[in-house]
RNA sequence: GGUACCUUGGCCGAGUGGUUAGGCGGUGGUCUGCAAAACCAUGUACGGCAGUUCGAAUCUGCCAGGUACCUCCA
């Protein structure tokens, strides 16, 4: 089956054909590590995690590179913009690298909790200064950059004469020019659209490296062009990131790579959309910014409760990655319940009664899941099919449908492949299961007694046992001639 | 101001020229000693106005509302 992805560059769904099958190179813009990871990071992390898992599932050998931006990302594009990491370091009176490692660890911790797999390579910009200097030189050599006072800028106007600057973001250079503010008289740039490839460090700027032009630091856009091609080759398959990076970041990447090597690097640009809160984009300036730690702990003022990482993951995957996703407590609570239902269905599979033959076609569910994933990674449809499967499981439990031993295995395998393997929904509540195992003899004993009481119509005792267990967090559900229980 | 995009039932969210997306919630029911869980049934939704069409929520135009990008952001 042909896999289709929406390519931002061509504005349409395209068949995915890797350059060197079975190998696939995939680069995704990672975080700038100067602050807590938030819901937006979760979405990008999860979306591309599912893409990564899916490509591997279909048999590709994927090299997944996701960078850590730890230098060069300025507060703004003005000439006096301060490096984000350096600023944070200054404010907290620590080394920039302390900031970098602190937030990188936090990011990893949060992503691990969301069951986001680590990329194969996670390069840091600060570890690739020589390569970045080399690329600046290449761009200078190609004539698409100029040096002013120790800084090097990309010459957008000149580049646009030969190439299409704005092709990715759908912008026209004339519009961009008419919309940019006037250059200040002190500016080193020839044109307001030009962006920095290398900047000379002011004397208070602490993150600095030697280069042929000055002691300074690389421009933000450069690192991605450099590190993607270093690890994936001059040309590679997929470049991902949030839609907010489309312009200028990714547009500049295209320009840089084209200028430096005479051709574009990226074949498929894939962008995830934003998360909104009450219809508005999440942003620091808007004060509606929710970090993942706050979300997991329920400590932000807009949160009615804490939410499990898996609930967040499920919530995000219930929407297609290219649409905006609106956050609300109601929506997250609904997601939590839906996920619980799927989890219960999964655990019920083992206990299903086996019949001679199956009245169900499990392969049809598998096929539909495959089809949905191949159609631009349509995770909400996959989830809808998993709910169909959950429905079947309920019907088998109630004796309305029959399933054979092999059917049962197929059902289990479907959940494991699609829900757990590709969507990355981690059904295993490890700690809880351990407790559950330890308590099993005790709880079973009580429930055996309760069963006997029920037979003797001693409902007072039966209810007392159920109520007491519930008070200690154990929920009992009666089955025909038996019971189920779980720790809530 | 420029450029894009969006508007689906109480909420979240797929989809798309003609057959029920799905989830959560609500209501009724089955099961149960009672519950819980599960299952069944139930909502004829697609911003407004025109147009194209045998037929549009799906295409076109206009209008209204919203959002994003153009500055840092996943």
């Amino acid at each position: 089956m042909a896999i289709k992805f929406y390519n931002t560059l061509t504005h349409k769904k395209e068949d995915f054909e890797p350059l060197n099958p079975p190998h696939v190179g995939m680069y995704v813009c990672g975080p700038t590590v100067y602050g807590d990871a938030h819901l937006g990071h979760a979405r990008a992390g999860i979306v591309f995690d599912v893409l990564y898992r899916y490509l591997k599932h279909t048999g590709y050998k994927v090299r997944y590179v996701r960078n850590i931006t730890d230098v060069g990302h300025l507060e703004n594009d003005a000439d006096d913009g301060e490096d984000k990491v350096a600023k944070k370091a200054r404010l907290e009176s620590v080394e920039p690298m302390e900031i970098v490692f602190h937030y990188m660890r936090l990011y990893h911790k949060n992503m691990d909790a969301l069951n986001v797999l680590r990329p194969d390579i996670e390069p840091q910009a600060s570890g690739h200064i020589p390569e970045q200097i080399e690329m600046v030189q290449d761009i200078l050599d190609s004539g698409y950059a100029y040096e002013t006072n120790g800084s090097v800028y990309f010459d957008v106007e000149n580049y646009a004469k030969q190439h299409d600057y704005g092709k990715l973001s759908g912008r026209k250079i004339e519009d961009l020019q008419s919309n940019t503010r006037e250059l200040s008289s002190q500016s080193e740039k020839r044109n307001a659209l030009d962006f920095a490839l290398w900047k000379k460090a002011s004397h208070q700027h602490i993150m600095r490296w030697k280069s042929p032009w000055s002691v300074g630091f690389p421009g933000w856009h450069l690192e991605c062009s450099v590190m993607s091609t270093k690890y994936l080759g001059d040309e590679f398959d997929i470049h991902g990131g949030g839609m907010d990076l489309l312009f200028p970041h990714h547009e500049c990447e295209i320009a840089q790579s084209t200028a430096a090597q005479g051709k574009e690097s990226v074949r498929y640009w894939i962008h995830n959309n934003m998360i909104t809160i009450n219809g508005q984009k999440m942003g620091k300036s808007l004060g509606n910014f929710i970090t993942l730690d706050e979300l997991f702990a329920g400590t932000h003022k807009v949160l009615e409760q804490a939410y499990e990482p898996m609930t967040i993951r499920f919530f995000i995957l219930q929407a297609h990655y290219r649409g905006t996703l609106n956050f609300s407590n109601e929506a997250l609570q609904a997601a939590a319940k839906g996920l619980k239902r799927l989890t219960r269905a999964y655990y019920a599979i083992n206990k299903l009664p086996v019949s001679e033959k199956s009245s169900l076609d499990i392969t049809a569910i598998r096929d539909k899941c495959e089809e949905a994933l191949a159609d631009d990674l349509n995770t909400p449809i996959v989830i809808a099919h998993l709910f169909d499967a959950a429905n079947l499981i309920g019907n088998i439990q109630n004796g309305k449908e029959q399933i054979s031993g092999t059917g049962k295995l197929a059902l289990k395998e479907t959940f494991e492949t699609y829900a757990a393997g590709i969507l990355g929904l981690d059904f295993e509540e490890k700690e809880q299961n351990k407790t559950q195992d330890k308590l099993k003899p005790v709880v079973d004993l009580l429930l055996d007694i309760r069963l006997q009481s029920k037979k003797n119509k001693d409902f007072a005792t039966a209810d007392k046992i159920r109520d007491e267990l519930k008070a200690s967090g154990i929920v009992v559900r009666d089955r025909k001639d038996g019971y189920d229980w779980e720790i809530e």
Side-chain angles (χ1 to χ4, degrees):
Chain A
M1 190 187 325
I3 298 174
K4 286 182 192 294
F5 293 129
Y6 184 90
N7 189 348
T8 314
L9 192 60
T10 55
H11 308 286
K12 60 184 179 215
K13 279 188 204 173
E14 292 180 344
D15 284 351
F16 177 65
E17 283 158 10
L19 198 59
N20 303 304
H23 300 281
V24 170
M26 170 170 153
Y27 184 91
V28 175
C29 287
T32 300
V33 280
Y34 72 108
D36 293 340
H38 53 72
L39 250 183
H41 291 111
R43 190 169 198 196
I46 289 166
V47 163
F48 291 104
D49 182 52
V50 171
L51 178 59
Y52 179 45
R53 289 163 180 263
Y54 172 57
L55 289 170
K56 287 203 288 191
H57 159 81
T58 57
Y60 288 120
K61 295 190 187 311
V62 187
R63 181 180 292 166
Y64 177 19
V65 181
R66 187 183 61 202
N67 69 301
I68 295 283
T69 297
D70 58 359
V71 64
H73 201 160
L74 304 184
E75 284 281 304
N76 55 60
D77 200 32
D79 287 343
D80 55 352
E82 190 173 3
D83 185 289
K84 289 183 172 195
V85 169
K87 181 182 179 186
K88 188 83 178 172
R90 177 172 59 75
L91 292 175
E92 300 192 3
S93 303
V94 295
E95 275 292 316
M97 276 300 136
E98 285 184 81
I99 295 295
V100 166
F101 276 84
H102 173 78
Y103 287 109
M104 198 164 72
R105 274 190 218 107
L106 183 66
Y107 179 75
H108 284 150
K109 190 188 87 181
N110 287 156
M111 289 300 131
D112 289 349
L114 291 165
N115 204 22
V116 170
L117 299 172
R118 300 278 178 106
D120 298 297
I121 303 174
E122 198 165 30
Q124 288 172 244
S126 64
H128 296 73
I129 302 296
E131 292 91 336
Q132 295 187 71
I133 290 172
E134 225 172 278
M135 188 162 195
V136 174
Q137 190 59 58
D138 287 345
I139 299 174
L140 275 168
D141 292 346
S142 73
Y144 292 122
Y146 55 87
E147 186 201 332
T148 307
N149 189 27
S151 292
V152 182
Y153 293 94
F154 192 93
D155 189 342
V156 172
E157 200 174 352
N158 190 25
Y159 174 84
K161 284 177 192 161
Q162 305 289 326
H163 305 280
D164 185 0
Y165 183 83
K167 65 195 290 187
L168 181 70
S169 54
R171 275 154 227 265
K172 294 189 183 69
I173 187 138
E174 310 85 67
D175 294 339
L176 287 168
Q177 273 163 338
S178 63
N179 282 316
T180 41
R181 345 186 155 80
E182 288 296 305
L183 282 175
S184 65
S185 52
Q186 299 90 350
S187 179
E188 298 170 338
K189 294 196 229 174
R190 289 182 192 164
N191 190 304
L193 288 181
D194 296 349
F195 54 91
L197 298 173
W198 186 266
K199 292 205 68 155
K200 181 179 176 180
S202 58
H203 53 277
Q204 72 266 34
H205 195 102
I206 36 186
M207 299 168 81
R208 46 168 71 200
W209 290 265
K210 275 183 194 162
S211 81
W213 314 285
S214 64
V215 175
F217 57 96
W220 173 41
H221 310 306
L222 197 61
E223 55 164 303
C224 288
S225 290
V226 164
M227 296 191 288
S228 60
T229 52
K230 167 160 179 155
Y231 296 110
L232 299 174
D234 289 351
E235 198 181 354
F236 60 93
D237 298 303
I238 296 172
H239 189 129
M243 269 184 193
D244 49 350
L245 297 177
L246 245 157
F247 190 89
H249 186 54
H250 291 159
E251 198 69 63
C252 294
E253 274 188 56
I254 291 179
Q256 287 167 345
S257 298
T258 308
Q261 60 185 212
K263 63 172 178 186
E264 278 181 52
S265 294
V266 180
R267 307 178 71 236
Y268 300 90
W269 284 92
I270 299 180
H271 290 94
N272 66 278
N273 213 140
M274 306 290 102
I275 287 184
T276 57
I277 294 178
N278 299 323
Q280 266 198 321
K281 188 181 149 178
M282 214 176 65
K284 284 184 175 166
S285 52
L286 296 165
N288 59 356
F289 184 92
I290 307 176
T291 71
L292 291 172
D293 275 350
E294 287 170 337
L295 210 51
F296 299 158
T299 50
H300 191 281
K301 64 177 187 296
V302 309
L303 300 174
E304 286 170 9
Q305 60 172 88
Y307 297 99
E308 296 286 324
M310 272 311 112
T311 299
I312 309 295
R313 183 164 182 124
F314 186 72
F315 169 69
I316 285 171
L317 293 176
Q318 263 190 311
H320 186 86
Y321 74 89
R322 276 194 297 113
T324 54
L325 171 59
N326 195 36
F327 170 91
S328 68
N329 282 287
E330 210 181 354
L332 267 190
Q333 284 156 11
K337 284 185 182 163
L339 178 61
K340 199 169 181 184
R341 203 178 134 208
L342 279 188
T343 308
R344 282 212 185 102
Y346 171 70
Y347 279 113
I349 296 174
N350 276 337
K351 297 177 196 159
L352 290 179
V354 175
S355 308
E356 279 295 302
K357 54 185 177 184
S358 205
S359 59
L360 303 165
D361 184 9
I362 308 301
T363 50
I365 296 174
R366 284 195 62 115
D367 292 348
K368 285 182 195 164
C369 288
E370 276 308 322
E371 212 176 295
L373 287 165
D375 183 17
D376 198 22
L377 210 67
N378 200 328
T379 55
I381 297 290
V382 175
I383 289 171
H385 293 313
L386 289 171
F387 274 112
D388 286 346
N391 224 315
L392 294 181
I393 291 165
N395 275 326
I396 299 165
Q397 275 180 317
N398 287 3
K400 286 179 185 165
E401 302 276 3
Q402 286 79 46
I403 193 158
S404 64
T406 49
K408 211 166 126 167
L409 285 176
L411 199 52
K412 193 157 190 224
E413 202 262 346
T414 300
F415 266 82
E416 276 161 6
T417 303
Y418 297 97
I422 296 177
L423 298 185
L425 300 172
D426 187 4
F427 289 139
E428 307 289 338
E429 298 290 335
K430 286 140 199 137
E431 285 310 306
Q432 185 171 312
N433 276 355
K434 260 189 234 161
T435 323
Q436 199 143 338
D437 286 348
K438 274 190 191 157
L439 287 177
K440 192 171 191 318
V442 186
V443 178
D444 281 357
L445 176 65
L446 280 167
L447 290 177
D448 285 339
I449 293 168
R450 175 164 177 270
L451 212 56
Q452 196 54 50
S453 314
K454 278 170 66 184
K455 272 184 191 148
N456 299 337
K457 308 261 185 235
D458 178 6
F459 297 122
T461 305
D463 288 351
K464 184 171 162 59
I465 291 171
R466 187 173 64 194
D467 293 347
E468 291 293 327
L469 283 174
K470 181 156 195 204
S472 34
I474 294 169
V475 175
V476 179
R477 279 186 284 277
D478 288 348
R479 296 276 175 230
K480 247 188 176 32
D481 305 318
Y483 49 79
D484 267 347
W485 60 273
E486 68 179 353
I487 300 169
E488 283 282 277

